[in-house]
Amino acid sequence: QVQLVESGGGSVQAGGSLRLSCAASGYTYSSTGMGWFRQTIGKEREGVAAFDDGGNTHYAGSVKGRFTISRDNAKNTLYLQMNSLKPEDTAMYYCAARSRPIGWSLLLSPIYYNYWGQGTQVTVSS
């Protein structure tokens, strides 16, 4: 049974930083088949950052240059380093994993991910 558990969310002022973690268990497809998504009330869930099957990273335009996705295979943990946070980054952040390969253009589409964590809240105040 796949289990994804996020941590590291919290409240921070604009310009600050946070690092999210996602501990994965029972997930056997690929350590690169994972990504981060976020959602605010009333909006659709959107992709933030993800790995493709070659281990390359992909980012939403709104976070490129500020967020960094990484992983520690030995610890089965996915990370999202978030710097220069803005109020518009406020959202529930989710870790997700997929069980099959997809094209790079689909990496930030939530519908291609099978497994989801419970989310961790990030609040950025101005």
Side-chain angles (χ1 to χ4, degrees), residues 49-120:
F51 282 102
D52 66 25
D53 292 294
N56 302 302
T57 56
H58 297 258
Y59 297 93
S62 58
V63 306
K64 203 168 188 178
R66 301 187 297 121
F67 291 12
T68 303
I69 187 173
S70 63
R71 66 188 188 273
D72 184 331
N73 293 337
K75 295 182 179 180
N76 290 328
T77 301
L78 184 73
Y79 300 100
L80 184 68
Q81 178 66 44
M82 306 186 294
N83 298 329
S84 303
L85 282 161
K86 304 176 180 180
E88 51 263 43
D89 295 318
T90 295
M92 185 72 79
Y93 283 72
Y94 298 90
C95 166
R98 52 186 168 85
S99 58
R100 61 185 61 188
I102 57 176
W104 65 268
S105 63
L106 304 176
L107 290 169
L108 297 182
S109 298
I111 62 172
Y112 295 100
Y113 289 77
N114 312 75
Y115 309 107
W116 293 86
Q118 82 289 348
T120 186

Side-chain angles (χ1 to χ4, degrees), residues 3 8 20 41 44 48-49 71-72 91 96 100 120 124:
Q3 189 171 18
L20 307 183
I41 295 174
E44 293 187 353
V48 174
R71 66 188 188 273
D72 184 331
R100 61 185 61 188
T120 186
V124 184

Side-chain angles (χ1 to χ4, degrees), residues 29-61:
Y29 167 57
S30 167
S31 62
T32 58
M34 299 183 72
W36 288 97
F37 296 78
R38 67 186 181 186
Q39 188 170 22
T40 55
I41 295 174
K43 291 188 177 181
E44 293 187 353
R45 192 168 296 187
E46 63 174 0
V48 174
F51 282 102
D52 66 25
D53 292 294
N56 302 302
T57 56
H58 297 258
Y59 297 93

